[in-house]
Amino acid sequence: MSETTPASGAADAATEPFRYSAALAAEIESRWQDIWEKEGTFHAPNPAGDLADPAAADVAARPHSFIMDMFPYPSGAGLHVGHPLGYIATDVFARYQRMNGFNVLHTLGYDSFGLPAEQYAVQTGTHPRVSTEANIANMRQQLRRLGLGHDPRRSIATIDPEYYRWTQWIFLQIFNSWYDEQAHRARPIAELVTEFEGGTREVPGGRDWAALSGAEREEVLGEYRLAYAKEVPVNWCPGLGTVLSNEEVTADGRSERGNFPVFKSNLRQWMMRITAYSDRLISDLDLLDWPEAIKLQQRNWIGRSEGARVDFAVGERKITVFTTRPDTLFGATYMVLAPEHDLVDTIVPASWPEGTPESWTGGAATPAEAVTAYRAAAAAKSDVERQVEAKVKTGVFTGAHAVNPVSGEPVPVFIADYVLMGYGTGAIMAVPAHDHRDFAFARAFELPMRCVVAPTDGRAEDPSGWDDAFDTYDSVIVNSAHTEGTEDGVSLNGLSVTDAKAAVTTWLTARGIGEGTVNYRLRDWLFSRQRYWGEPFPIVYDEDGVMHALPESMLPVEVPQVDDYSPHTYDPFDSTSTPKTPLSRNEDWVNVELDLGDGVKTYRRETNTMPNWAGSCWYELRYIDPSNREQVVDPANERYWLGPTEEKPGGGADLYVGGAEHAVLHLLYARFWHKVLHDLGHVSSVEPFHKLFNQGMITADVYRDERGFPVPAAEIEERDGQYFWQGEPVKREAGKMGKSLKNAVAPDEIADEYGADTLRLYEMSMGPLDVSRPWDTRAVVGSYRFLQRLWRNIVSESSGELVVTDEEPDEATLRALHKAVDGIRADMAGLRFNTAVAKAIELNNYLVKRGSTPRSVAEQVVLMVAPLAPHIAEELWRRLGHGDSLAHTDYPVADPAYVVDESVTCVVQIKGKVKARLEVAPSISDAELEALALADPAVVAAIGGAEVRKVIARAPKLVNIVTG
C-alpha cells in the first residue's frame, strides 16, 4: 500500500465499521450536500424583491457580508486541484461570517462568452452554447462536491440572454452619456443635446446645431459619448481574423492565443472613453482596501503625468507635443513622430533637403519612399516590442523641419517606432542631452545635443564627450536664453527645474503656443471584436449610415444562428487584410425592419460583438438581484449589499478574491462601468469591490523528455534521485499545474481517495493564502488523519456510539480550548487559514492525549472546524444531538480569563548561560522579576560571591545577569 492510500482494508472494515474512511466521507458529504440544497441553507435574503424572505426579521437591519470570487470561465478540461483554492477559501470565510451572525451573500456565476468555445465550435460544428452549457454543468458538479456554500438562486451565466440583456442595457447607458468636466461626472447625452439646441454650449466649430444633418450631429456627439465608434489604430491579427487589445499581444508582437503575427492597422472600432475617468480611477483607490501592489499597478497603468502641451510650427502646420519637462525646451534639437501620426503625410516633401545625411534616409530615394518603408516595418511590431529598449535605434527623417518655439531654431522631424500614438500626442520633442532614449537615437543618427540642465556629477556641459544622458530634477537651468533676433523671448538660466517649468509654461500660454496640462498613459478601451460568440451590440444603422441605439423594449439582441462560427481569417502575414465578422453572414439578421419612432424602416445591425470583458464588468449587481426584469438592480438591494458605509466609504463587495493577474484590466474596466452607473443614479456605491485579496497559485512539478515536451507526471518513476518515464530519463522543473503540462490532478481524484473535507483542509493548510505553494499528493494524508482523529475523539469506530463524556472540563482543558478559539477566530478574520488549521490540530491532539473529550469541549471543537471541514462537522454536530444544521450556529467565543496564562516560564541567564527557570505571573513587573531572580537559590549559587554589575529584566520571560 502506498503511503498516500488510506488504510481501509477488509480487516479494518470488519473491526472498525464506523471508522472515518473515504467511503464514509463520501456518504456523509453527499447526504449533507443534499440537505443543504433541499433546505436552502445558504440562501441569503434580500431586503426587497423576489428574494426577500417574509419570515425573516428586518433584513435591512442585519449585518451583511458580500463575498465574491473572480468570475471563472467554464473550461472543457474541468477543474484541477489548483482551481478551487480561492473558492474553498471564500467558502471558509463565508461560513465563518455566517456563524458570526452575518447575512452572507456568496454565489458563483460563469463568465461564459469567449474564444475557446468559439474555436471548439469551429473545429467540431458544435454550437458554442451547447459546449459551454455542458462545461458549466460539469464545473457546477465538481464544485458542489467540494461542499461550497453558495446560494444557487443567484448563480448566473453571461451567455444567458436574460443576463446579457442587461449587459446591452448598460452599454446603452454608457453610449447615451457624456462626461461633464465641470461637474466631474457622466450626464445623459440628451442634456448635452439640449445645451447645443439652446445655445448654452457652443457646438464645436461654431456651427448651428439646427443646421446640421443627422450624420453631422452624430459626428459631433461621437466626440462626447462615453461609448463611440471611430477609426483608430488597432492590433489587427489576420491569422485570427480579429483585432486584439494591447494586453492580448505578447512582447514579441504576436497573439497571445495562437501565436500569430499582429499588425497595426487603422480600423473602425467601438471604444469606451475610460480616459474621462482617469483622475477618479486614481483618487478613488484611496477608498479601497486593496493590496498596495495592485493599487500601484493601476496607478502606473493609468499613468498620470503633469507637464505642458507645446506647439512646434512646421510651415503652415504645427506639431503638438506633450512634455513633462518643458524646462528643457531649449535643448530640443530634433523631433520624432509616431509612424502612424496623421501629420506625417502632410509634411513630407517631394525630395530630400540639400545636405541630408545618408544615414537619415534609410537608403530611400525620396522621403515618401523612406516613410512608406519604415511604416511597413513598424506595423509588424507590437506596442510592447516598440517600447522595449533596443540596442539599435531605428527611424527615418521625414524631410521636414519644425521650429523650436523658444529658440527659433529649425529642428529635423523624424519618425521612429519608439514613439507611440497611444501616449501623449504621438509626437515628442527630443532632448538628447537629458533623455536616455533620445540620447541613443541622437548618437545613432549623429544629431546635435545641447546641455540645458547643469551637470552635478562632474561632467562638462559639452555633451560630445558624454556616455549617456544627464537626467535630474535637482539642478539649475543653463544655456536657455532667447537668442539674438528672437522677439519677446524667454530666459530660464539660473532657475531651478521647478521654477523653469512654471516660467516657460506661463510664457507659452501667453503666446497661445502651449499650456500646462495633464496627460495619461491610459488609452480609451477598444471594445469590439470580430467574433461570433459574444454579446451583440444594440446598435443599428440607417440608410445614411447614422447609428441608432435600440430602445430597451428591443433588448436583448440575441446572438443569431450562423452556418460558420469562425471569423474570416487570412494568411497570418497579410497585413493589408480587413476584418469580416461571423455575424455578417446571417443577412436576414443583419438587415432588419424596425420602427424606432418614425415609422418602419430598414436598418443594418452592428456585426461586431463585445469583448469577453463585458459580462464581468457588472456581475456583482446581478448576484444581488438575479431575476429582476424591471431594473438592473433594485436600489434597496444594492444599497444593502454594496452601499457606502463608514467602514466602506466607496461601497462595494466586502471581499473579492482572485488572482493578481487581473490587477489591471478586469478591475479597471469594472470600476469604470460602476462609476458610470453611479453617476447616472443607478447605484449608490462608487466602487464595485471594497476589499481585494489575491490568492496565490498551486504549482506542480513538470516533467519533460529530451525533446522538451511534457510527459504525464503521474507515470514518473523516481530512482536514486533521477526521474524516468517509460524507462527514459526526464527532467523535472517547477511550473504551473495544467492539462497541457500533463501534471493536472483532478479534485475528484482526491475526493474519491480521501473525501472532499480532506481536500479542503489540505488546500487551506498548505501555506499562507496569498503565497503560491507546490502540490504534494503524498502530504494530503496528513489532513485525512487529522479528520480521523477528530472523528475518533467523538465517535466510536467499532460501535458508532458517542464516546464523549459528560464531565466538566478541567482548567487545563479550558485553557487549551479558549486559547485555540481566540487564535482561530483571529486567523479566520485575517484569512490565515493555514494557521487556523494548525491550531485546530494542536487542540485535537491535546484531547487525544487527554484520553477523553468532554461533550461541551467536543461541541466547541466541531463548531470551530465547521468552516474548514463542513461535512464532517455537520455529521458530528448531528450525532451530538442537534437537529438543525450548524451553518447558522454561533461560532465559539473565547473567555478572556482562560486565554491569559496563569504563569509563564522566565529564563534566568548569567553571562549568557541559563542557570534557572522561574514560573511567574504574566503581569509581573521588571523590578519584581529582578528581585525574584536574584533571590532564587540556583541563581545565588551560580553567582557565588561575584559582584553583580548589571541586571537586565524583560518581564515576564527573561532576566540576564552580568557579574564582575
Side-chain angles (χ1 to χ4, degrees), residues 67-265:
I67 299 167
M68 292 181 62
D69 303 276
M70 285 192 182
F71 231 5
Y73 179 80
S75 167
L79 300 177
H80 59 64
V81 292
H83 290 124
L85 176 65
Y87 308 148
I88 295 171
T90 53
D91 185 61
V92 171
F93 185 69
R95 288 174 178 274
Y96 173 74
Q97 291 288 81
R98 204 174 282 117
M99 294 175 74
N100 278 285
F102 286 85
N103 183 19
V104 176
L105 194 169
H106 190 210
T107 191
L108 193 72
Y110 299 89
D111 192 9
S112 37
F113 277 120
L115 192 55
E118 184 173 305
Q119 290 183 326
Y120 184 75
V122 171
Q123 295 164 6
T124 66
T126 304
H127 194 283
R129 178 174 295 281
V130 174
S131 60
T132 301
E133 288 178 345
N135 294 344
I136 290 174
N138 179 56
M139 188 170 174
R140 276 190 170 135
Q141 180 58 35
Q142 285 188 292
L143 293 175
R144 184 182 190 273
R145 190 172 182 184
L146 296 175
L148 302 181
H150 294 153
D151 184 343
R153 305 170 304 166
R154 299 175 182 269
S155 181
I156 51 90
T158 56
I159 61 171
D160 181 356
E162 192 54 38
Y163 181 87
Y164 68 73
R165 167 198 176 192
W166 291 105
T167 305
Q168 293 170 340
W169 179 87
I170 295 173
F171 170 83
L172 291 178
Q173 306 310 300
I174 299 172
F175 174 76
N176 286 320
S177 301
W178 63 292
Y179 197 81
D180 186 336
E181 295 286 354
Q182 280 70 46
H184 302 293
R185 65 177 180 87
R187 293 172 55 194
I189 200 76
E191 295 180 5
L192 179 64
V193 172
T194 299
E195 292 183 12
F196 285 150
E197 289 175 337
T200 57
R201 181 180 294 270
E202 183 180 356
V203 178
R207 294 174 290 176
D208 180 6
W209 181 258
L212 299 181
S213 67
E216 289 172 329
R217 291 181 180 184
E218 186 51 48
E219 183 180 358
V220 171
L221 295 178
E223 295 300 315
Y224 289 84
R225 292 186 188 275
L226 289 177
Y228 62 96
K230 188 175 183 180
E231 188 169 282
V232 292
V234 296
N235 299 309
W236 166 235
C237 181
L240 288 177
T242 188
V243 300
L244 303 173
S245 68
N246 286 341
E247 298 74 36
E248 294 170 312
V249 181
T250 64
D252 55 356
R254 304 180 78 87
S255 62
E256 189 176 49
R257 183 173 292 276
N259 198 37
F260 292 108
V262 176
F263 303 91
K264 279 293 181 185
S265 182

Side-chain angles (χ1 to χ4, degrees), residues 49 99 143 179 182 386 436 471 507 551 606 703 728 750 775 792 797 825 882 930 957:
M99 294 175 74
L143 293 175
Y179 197 81
Q182 280 70 46
R386 289 168 59 173
H436 300 288
D471 182 13
W507 185 86
E606 172 63 68
Y703 297 89
E728 296 297 324
I750 305 301
W775 176 264
R792 279 198 300 269
E797 293 182 330
R825 285 191 72 96
H882 301 277
E930 178 181 337
K957 293 189 174 182

Side-chain angles (χ1 to χ4, degrees), residues 309-315 317-321 323 329 332-335 343 401-407 409 411 413 428-430 513:
R309 175 187 60 77
V310 185
D311 295 335
F312 285 68
V314 185
R317 297 181 175 85
K318 64 180 179 181
I319 299 174
T320 300
V321 303
T323 176
L329 256 171
T333 57
Y334 66 97
M335 300 189 74
L343 199 60
H401 285 80
V403 177
N404 185 313
V406 292
S407 69
E409 297 174 358
V411 293
V413 181
I428 67 163
M429 62 174 214
I513 54 175

Side-chain angles (χ1 to χ4, degrees), residues 686-768:
V686 179
E687 291 282 344
F689 316 115
H690 171 66
K691 181 178 177 64
L692 175 69
F693 188 95
N694 296 128
Q695 92 271 12
M697 288 193 307
I698 289 181
T699 61
D701 288 335
V702 181
Y703 297 89
R704 298 186 184 274
D705 61 18
E706 60 181 4
R707 301 167 301 169
F709 293 170
V711 298
E715 300 174 15
I716 297 297
E717 295 181 57
E718 182 180 356
R719 299 196 299 267
D720 300 326
Q722 302 294 313
Y723 301 94
F724 299 86
W725 179 66
Q726 297 183 347
E728 296 297 324
V730 294
K731 291 183 179 180
R732 183 181 71 167
E733 62 185 41
K736 293 182 178 180
M737 181 179 286
K739 181 180 179 181
S740 63
L741 296 175
K742 299 186 177 182
N743 61 355
V745 178
D748 293 347
E749 295 176 30
I750 305 301
D752 287 343
E753 194 164 358
Y754 299 101
D757 277 340
T758 293
L759 174 61
R760 290 172 59 106
L761 201 68
Y762 174 64
E763 293 213 2
M764 293 299 95
S765 65
M766 291 172 72

Side-chain angles (χ1 to χ4, degrees), residues 77 195 212 250 298 360 438 468 479 629 711 821 873 877 881 934:
E195 292 183 12
L212 299 181
T250 64
Q298 291 226 341
W360 292 12
D438 294 347
D468 198 359
N479 303 320
R629 294 186 56 83
V711 298
V821 171
W877 188 248
L934 292 174

Side-chain angles (χ1 to χ4, degrees), residues 348-363:
V348 172
S351 59
W352 294 114
E354 185 177 349
T356 299
E358 186 175 347
S359 61
W360 292 12
T361 68

